[in-house]
Amino acid sequence: MSTDGRPSGHRSEKYIHIQQIYTMNDIITERYEAWLANAAADPDLIPELAAMDDAAKEDAFYRELDFGTGGLRGVIGAGTNRMNVYTVARASAGLADYVQTRREEAGKDPYAASIAISYDSRIKSDLFSRTAAAVFASKGIDVWLYPRLMPTPLLSYAVRALSCDAGVMITASHNPSKYNGYKVYGPDGCQITEKAAGQILECIRRIDTLRSWMAVSYNESGRPQGSIEYIPEQVCDAFMAEIRSQSVIPAGADIDRSVKIVYSPLNGTGLEPVTRALNEAGFTNITVVEEQREPDGNFPTCPYPNPEICEAMELGLQYCSKTGADLLLATDPDCDRIGVMCKDGNGYVRLNPNEVGILMLDFICRKMKRDGGGDISYTPVFMKTVVTTSMAEKVAERYGLKIKNTLTGFKYIGEQIEGLKANEEFIFGMEESCGYLSNPQIRDKDGVNAALLISFVAQECKDRGITLYKRMQELYREYGYYINVQKSYKFDGANGLSQMQSSINRIHKSMPERDGVMYVEEIDYSKGYRGLPLTNMVEYKLSDGGRFLIRPSGTEPKLKVYVEVEDRDLRGATEKYNNICKYISLILT
């Protein structure tokens, strides 16, 4: 027996495990009690804390909300694992320290820094934007704040237009209404990558969450004082001018623009910029989905405002049936993604995100060839993420484009745009999750830009007497039939992250062997591949041309699986797809 009365010998490992449990419970209790006594900056927090049971306390306080390349993202509410004024203030204080340190290291005045802020329609987005502005101002940083909600691409543009050191977008993108988030941008207008995220996280960890709150005075009209200024309207005008530059038809040209469009901003930020871009390009036959017109963070008619899924398009589809529209467009709450459906025959079909990108890329390539007479003086560059359809590479190769593959996340495309050589010109970038860009002055995916581009493609198709769907079938016959599908596996709760990591470890150790005519080759991106940054992703290539990739989400506790097959027709591709799904089942179960 030990001196404290507990069994000796094999008791050590078990006892340590019990102590770890008790220690975590103590941490949760300590955090909870501190918040209950002090979290008065937002009047919603104390009542929520008082109503928590033990399970709710654990979920709210068992960890600090993760900060990574996607910034912060989490459920709105009280606690260290929630989006609230305290976690936003803490992240802002850390970002401020990071920005000032970088300036000092570069020999610049740390108190001459500036940061731009925008926000979307989500619950408390305006409060969180003011919180971030207050913290930055308290640190001696000049703040540029949009006077009204604005999309993510306009934040990316403002960072560069105003020569800011960083940018912050308050948004949870396409997540359900209970979420909000905090995306960080570098001085190049791109979302931060791993190195910057790690350095910012180090700064954040030095700051106590409850002590991060700083106050700033606002007058009765809500106009900020001191070193916080509104972003001038001229920045929005300049952004729209950049969007107009993507037009392939002069605004005054006597050319048909009668394509009939139904558009939904999904109660987000897209209404003003999207309709303005379309109208200024001559597309005026637009019907807006009234129930989803105005900003509303509750998303009452669309609980999951993600244009990647069909449910988000249902109300717009009803409008299409009534109006006979040629095209249905929907942008997510921060308007950096777009979903597309089109009329075909007596009904409507959804174009998957890869198909939408292919249609845009083909259109841009043909325009480039016409404008350049088949001979251009620069090297045109096309960019895509590695999980995006390989069909895009076939299109780009046909037109002589240089192809750059990046890791998953549009931030890597933005980073590549920034690093182009003098004789290279960015033509188009796309990712499989409804993200597209053809304007190098913006360094993130842009739903406004994409809405205009796909409308031009739809008008061209209408002039030919075909639909977007029919045009896509022509391209499949030309390049081969591709099926690209993304699957997700969620890991919820306090043990979710560890369970997900166990699955990832199992994936790296598992290597499916021969099965009929297929053989799997493994590419482990965590060990490096073709000069790409190291990342936790694995790809399996099959001898029949198929492939699938598995990686953890950067913002949520879930694994994402990307499947791709190619064949001469849909039947053959479907058969290959089913075979790959058997491999996935073998690895993950």
Side-chain angles (χ1 to χ4, degrees):
M1 296 288 287
S2 66
T3 57
D4 61 4
R6 287 184 294 270
S8 57
H10 295 290
R11 58 93 181 167
S12 178
E13 182 178 346
K14 181 178 179 181
Y15 176 62
I16 291 172
H17 177 64
I18 292 172
Q19 283 292 89
Q20 288 173 339
I21 294 174
Y22 282 133
T23 300
M24 178 53 68
N25 287 340
D26 290 342
I27 290 171
I28 290 169
T29 300
E30 182 180 344
R31 288 174 176 173
Y32 170 77
E33 290 177 351
W35 278 62
L36 186 61
N38 298 289
D42 182 344
D44 293 338
L45 299 183
I46 297 297
E48 181 186 343
L49 288 162
M52 284 183 176
D53 59 18
D54 288 343
K57 293 175 187 177
E58 179 183 0
D59 196 42
F61 289 99
Y62 81 92
R63 66 167 186 161
E64 304 280 358
L65 195 62
D66 279 343
F67 184 93
T69 58
L72 299 175
R73 189 174 299 183
V75 174
I76 302 164
T80 57
N81 188 34
R82 295 286 185 266
M83 281 295 297
N84 51 66
V85 292
Y86 293 102
T87 52
V88 167
R90 184 182 188 228
S92 300
L95 176 58
D97 290 345
Y98 164 81
V99 164
Q100 291 178 320
T101 299
R102 296 286 83 75
R103 287 184 63 87
E104 199 165 17
E105 290 173 348
K108 300 178 181 178
D109 181 0
Y111 295 102
S114 62
I115 296 178
I117 304 173
S118 185
Y119 63 96
D120 70 2
S121 62
R122 288 184 173 273
I123 297 168
K124 295 186 182 291
S125 278
D126 55 345
L127 172 62
F128 294 163
S129 70
R130 294 196 304 271
T131 299
V135 173
F136 295 146
S138 75
K139 293 275 194 175
I141 291 176
D142 292 332
V143 179
W144 291 102
L145 176 66
Y146 272 114
R148 61 191 184 281
L149 77 177
M150 282 289 172
T152 288
L154 267 153
L155 184 278
S156 172
Y157 183 77
V159 169
R160 301 183 73 243
L162 298 170
S163 300
C164 293
D165 295 271
V168 171
M169 180 70 197
I170 305 296
T171 179
S173 189
H174 53 281
N175 287 89
S177 61
K178 67 180 181 179
Y179 287 88
N180 210 329
Y182 182 105
K183 291 200 292 190
V184 178
Y185 288 75
D188 55 3
C190 303
Q191 277 196 69
I192 55 171
T193 50
E194 280 84 355
K195 182 179 179 181
Q199 292 171 339
I200 295 169
L201 179 58
E202 287 181 12
C203 295
I204 292 172
R205 283 175 172 165
R206 294 195 289 264
I207 299 165
D208 178 79
T209 306
L210 281 176
R211 295 179 182 176
S212 65
W213 174 255
M214 301 291 181
V216 69
S217 298
Y218 284 80
N219 63 21
E220 290 182 0
S221 68
R223 184 175 178 81
Q225 305 292 310
S227 58
I228 304 174
E229 296 185 39
Y230 285 142
I231 294 175
E233 194 64 29
Q234 293 92 317
V235 172
C236 298
D237 293 339
F239 171 86
M240 297 309 300
E242 289 291 345
I243 296 299
R244 285 196 302 276
S245 73
Q246 302 305 300
S247 173
V248 295
I249 306 173
D254 186 19
I255 296 174
D256 186 17
R257 291 178 176 83
S258 64
V259 62
K260 190 180 293 186
I261 301 168
V262 167
Y263 168 62
S264 172
L266 298 181
N267 299 119
T269 59
L271 178 65
E272 177 187 337
V274 170
T275 56
R276 179 179 172 182
L278 292 173
N279 285 328
E280 289 180 353
F283 296 102
T284 58
N285 198 350
I286 305 169
T287 300
V288 177
V289 178
E290 285 299 321
E291 296 90 335
Q292 298 170 342
R293 171 189 286 268
E294 299 302 326
D296 187 343
N298 292 299
F299 309 116
T301 61
C302 183
Y304 193 14
N306 182 359
E308 293 182 74
I309 63 174
C310 294
E311 289 79 3
M313 313 282 279
E314 284 183 357
L315 195 53
L317 190 57
Q318 295 175 25
Y319 273 69
C320 287
S321 298
K322 294 175 184 176
T323 62
D326 302 297
L327 187 63
L328 169 60
L329 306 177
T331 51
D332 67 341
D334 66 325
C335 196
D336 63 351
R337 302 170 191 252
I338 191 167
V340 179
M341 296 185 74
C342 68
K343 189 174 184 179
D344 190 69
N346 296 322
Y348 290 85
V349 294
R350 180 180 181 273
L351 298 166
N352 70 52
N354 281 298
E355 291 174 330
V356 173
I358 291 292
L359 287 164
M360 292 180 187
L361 174 62
D362 167 73
F363 180 77
I364 290 170
C365 287
R366 288 185 288 106
K367 172 186 177 296
M368 179 189 70
K369 185 175 181 180
R370 290 194 303 268
D371 292 350
D375 185 20
I376 54 178
S377 59
Y378 58 88
T379 300
V381 181
F382 164 65
M383 301 179 186
K384 61 178 276 292
T385 60
V386 293
V387 299
T388 298
T389 179
S390 301
M391 182 179 179
E393 296 187 32
K394 285 191 174 182
V395 177
E397 286 169 356
R398 176 181 174 182
Y399 289 95
L401 274 60
K402 182 176 181 179
I403 300 166
K404 288 182 177 285
N405 275 289
T406 73
L407 295 181
T408 304
F410 219 89
K411 54 184 169 285
Y412 295 107
I413 292 177
E415 187 179 49
Q416 288 292 323
I417 295 173
E418 181 73 11
L420 286 179
K421 298 176 183 177
N423 66 328
E424 295 178 335
E425 184 170 319
F426 172 76
I427 297 298
F428 188 61
M430 62 181 283
E431 65 176 5
E432 50 70 46
S433 55
C434 298
Y436 316 99
L437 181 68
S438 67
N439 192 329
Q441 299 306 314
I442 301 149
R443 300 296 170 81
D444 204 349
K445 51 187 177 285
D446 183 358
V448 185
N449 181 188
L452 183 60
L453 273 176
I454 199 63
S455 296
F456 277 123
V457 182
Q459 184 65 62
E460 181 188 62
C461 289
K462 187 172 184 178
D463 293 342
R464 287 184 54 202
I466 63 172
T467 65
L468 285 172
Y469 174 78
K470 290 292 194 302
R471 175 58 186 151
M472 192 66 224
Q473 300 311 304
E474 290 179 350
L475 292 171
Y476 278 140
R477 287 191 290 272
E478 184 174 354
Y479 293 101
Y481 200 99
Y482 283 74
I483 293 178
N484 292 86
V485 177
Q486 182 203 122
K487 296 173 173 287
S488 294
Y489 299 83
K490 292 199 72 173
F491 300 82
D492 293 320
N495 296 322
L497 290 175
S498 61
Q499 291 172 353
M500 183 175 74
Q501 189 58 52
S502 295
S503 295
I504 293 170
N505 294 338
R506 187 168 64 251
I507 290 165
H508 285 303
K509 293 177 182 178
S510 301
M511 185 72 171
E513 297 179 355
R514 294 181 183 274
D515 182 10
V517 298
M518 294 193 294
Y519 183 78
V520 176
E521 172 194 357
E522 183 185 64
I523 301 171
D524 187 348
Y525 287 79
S526 68
K527 297 178 180 177
Y529 181 66
R530 292 186 178 177
L532 295 175
L534 304 183
T535 190
N536 195 0
M537 180 168 67
V538 62
E539 177 177 354
Y540 294 101
K541 289 184 176 248
L542 310 183
S543 61
D544 63 2
R547 64 180 183 133
F548 63 94
L549 302 94
I550 303 175
R551 73 173 184 90
S553 168
T555 56
E556 301 170 82
K558 66 181 181 182
L559 285 177
K560 292 187 175 183
V561 180
Y562 304 84
V563 181
E564 175 178 279
V565 296
E566 182 266 333
D567 204 271
R568 291 174 297 177
D569 55 33
L570 176 59
R571 182 177 178 179
T574 301
E575 182 177 347
K576 290 180 179 180
Y577 171 75
N578 291 335
N579 285 334
I580 289 185
C581 287
K582 292 178 183 177
Y583 275 114
I584 295 171
S585 177
L586 176 62
I587 291 175
L588 293 180
T589 58

